[in-house]
Amino acid sequence: MSRIAVVPGSFDPVTLGHIDVIGRAAGIFDELHVLVVHNPAKAALLPIAQRVSLIEQSVKDAGLPANILVTSWSVGLLVDYCTDVGASVLVKGIRSQVDVAYETPMAIVNRDLAGVETVFLLPDPANAYVSSSLVRQVASLGGDVSPYVPAAVARFLQND
Ligand code: PNS
């Protein structure tokens, strides 16, 4: 039986930290779905379709394996998507104890709701301080985001 995992997130925009975790997860699971989900708690920078397209480009440019599917989800619970596609695992990147505190309640609820387990993966420490919110702030003030995001994202944000 092939093991399908889902990496969900806002990815607004995708960062080098995300690509790091996506690459690690793709090496562990048979099939990996990178799922762009609207998070109503966050003010969005990019439309969902643009985020999907930038992830696809970044995954390709990074030479990541072909078992990665990038898509989006806007209706219902995250675990409904998992059930629909037969995924039993969610993957989240953990940069610090702050991420553990943020992710743990969601992991427990997703397991309670549908038996979907969450696996936490650690990025390269070089990516431990990279976040989409920081990138959004630097980009909005005209700063150089290229150390934090894939080249396709830097090009897109800086030509905006
Ligand atoms: O990148 P983010 O913004 O931290 O990702 C958060 C996200 C989108 C993964 C989270 O908000 C989420 O899981 N949303 C789906 C809604 C849902 O299923 N909620 C109930 C279980 S937590």
Side-chain angles (χ1 to χ4, degrees):
M1 192 188 83
S2 78
R3 179 77 76 180
I4 304 172
V6 175
V7 185
S10 301
F11 301 108
D12 187 30
V14 67
T15 67
L16 291 176
H18 291 132
I19 294 297
D20 181 346
V21 168
I22 290 166
R24 289 172 200 282
I28 297 172
F29 297 97
D30 299 308
E31 210 180 296
L32 188 72
H33 295 205
V34 180
L35 190 69
V36 179
V37 182
H38 171 64
N39 184 345
K42 293 181 180 173
L45 173 69
L46 304 175
I48 298 278
Q50 188 65 58
R51 299 182 215 172
V52 169
S53 160
L54 287 170
I55 298 167
E56 283 172 339
Q57 187 63 53
S58 304
V59 162
K60 191 167 154 232
D61 291 347
L64 296 186
N67 62 342
I68 298 172
L69 169 82
V70 186
T71 187
S72 62
W73 177 250
S74 54
V75 185
L77 294 164
L78 177 57
V79 292
D80 293 340
Y81 177 86
C82 295
T83 305
D84 282 2
V85 300
S88 54
V89 177
L90 289 165
V91 175
K92 298 289 187 83
I94 294 293
R95 292 162 298 186
S96 69
Q97 290 302 320
V98 175
D99 283 344
V100 175
Y102 173 69
E103 296 294 347
T104 299
M106 292 196 280
I108 301 286
V109 167
N110 286 325
R111 188 167 62 194
D112 287 348
L113 285 169
V116 175
E117 296 286 357
T118 299
V119 169
F120 292 153
L121 292 182
L122 305 178
D124 187 306
N127 293 321
Y129 297 101
V130 179
S131 72
S132 297
S133 58
L134 208 77
V135 168
R136 287 198 296 276
Q137 193 177 111
V138 172
S140 72
L141 297 171
D144 178 15
V145 295
S146 60
Y148 314 117
V149 295
V153 176
R155 274 196 305 275
F156 181 82
L157 292 179
Q158 280 156 11
N159 289 335
D160 222 16

